[in-house]
Amino acid sequence: MKNIVIFGAPGAGKGTQSDFIVEHYGLTHVSTGDLLRKEIADQTELGKRIKSIMDAGQLVSDDIVIEMMDKAIANDTKGMLFDGFPRTVAQAEVLDKLLAKYGRELTCMVQLEVPKDELMRRLLERAKIQGRADDNEATINNRLQEYNSKTKPVADYYAAQGKQKLIDGLGTIEDIAARIRQAIG
Ligand code: AP5
Ligand code: MG
């Protein structure tokens, strides 16, 4: 059973490539961003608490996402693709413990590498089509800052475990999907 993390900056293509990976390996896709946006759309108590944080492009607290992930792993039988999680070293350490608790282990971490100007271009393009609340230039800059200060260290965490697979995230969506399949094997 495979359990994989897809990793990269905002706009790197995590969601886009997740579709191909879950299809190819028969995994359950879990995106913390999608789960959190659903809480906001449903106007739950949690949704009301996190809306202003997400609109500002900041990370929500580790406790909130860890609780969500514990439930998601407990309910899964196929193996999982984690998209947007872990985003801090503390989350990465907890993910290892959670997987162990359910008798699993992380297979690898797939890191999409895309330069900043292309990230900005993609997200501003998506803003015109989808209108996600955090896709505007000021908030994208905050998201990139959060990524650089809090999330990038997670890459070193997986490199130290020998689980990091670096993927060139520029090119056509199909070419990148093929690179990922080759890296995962
Ligand atoms: P999240 O939803 O995870 O957003 P993100 O990391 O900012 O990334 P995106 O979803 O914007 O980009 P993506 O990498 O999925 O790229 P996509 O495939 O869409 O998180 C949102 C917020 O939730 C966070 O800011 C935080 O507040 C909170 N949060 C979530 N997880 C958390 C956690 N673990 N801890 C704490 N807080 C958390 O592609 C982007 C665009 O580019 C699309 O339009 C796509 O069509 C296009 N595109 C994709 N590939 C290509 C290509 N090869 N060429 C051209 N265009 C492409
Ligand atoms: Mg996404």
Side-chain angles (χ1 to χ4, degrees):
M1 179 195 278
K2 290 197 191 315
N3 292 282
I4 297 170
V5 167
I6 181 135
F7 186 87
K14 300 183 292 295
T16 304
Q17 293 299 330
S18 288
D19 293 344
F20 292 92
I21 299 171
V22 295
E23 163 87 26
H24 190 78
Y25 296 101
L27 304 178
T28 303
H29 178 212
V30 57
S31 154
T32 38
D34 288 350
L35 291 175
L36 295 168
R37 276 185 292 277
K38 184 166 188 312
E39 296 285 337
I40 294 174
D42 293 348
Q43 298 189 313
T44 63
E45 277 311 308
L46 173 61
K48 286 175 196 161
R49 261 174 34 224
I50 61 177
K51 184 176 180 339
S52 59
I53 301 170
M54 283 182 65
D55 284 353
Q58 291 161 353
L59 296 186
V60 308
S61 79
D62 287 342
D63 295 351
I64 291 172
V65 288
I66 286 165
E67 197 186 322
M68 285 180 153
M69 283 305 110
D70 194 343
K71 281 190 196 145
I73 300 169
N75 287 327
D76 174 68
T77 55
K78 301 195 292 186
M80 302 186 76
L81 178 67
F82 300 97
D83 165 2
F85 177 87
R87 255 180 153 93
T88 61
V89 171
Q91 289 179 21
E93 288 167 352
V94 170
L95 178 59
D96 280 341
K97 292 194 186 117
L98 281 178
L99 288 169
K101 171 172 146 189
Y102 296 104
R104 302 186 184 195
E105 193 188 1
L106 193 77
T107 311
C108 63
M109 174 273 232
V110 172
Q111 179 172 351
L112 296 169
E113 297 189 292
V114 177
K116 188 190 164 194
D117 56 344
E118 172 67 5
L119 298 170
M120 186 60 88
R121 192 195 67 75
R122 288 183 188 178
L123 293 175
L124 291 176
E125 197 55 39
R126 185 175 67 187
K128 293 184 210 157
I129 309 160
Q130 282 189 14
R132 220 173 92 172
D134 58 353
D135 281 347
N136 59 76
E137 198 166 342
T139 308
I140 294 167
N141 276 319
N142 288 343
R143 286 158 65 196
L144 291 170
Q145 252 174 38
E146 288 280 84
Y147 174 78
N148 284 324
S149 61
K150 296 178 186 162
T151 305
K152 253 192 176 166
V154 174
D156 300 331
Y157 177 87
Y158 288 117
Q161 292 187 356
K163 290 190 172 171
Q164 180 192 42
K165 311 262 185 206
L166 287 173
I167 304 288
D168 176 3
L170 282 178
T172 69
I173 289 168
E174 291 74 18
D175 283 350
I176 297 163
R179 285 175 207 150
I180 293 173
R181 274 197 300 276
Q182 194 173 25
I184 296 174

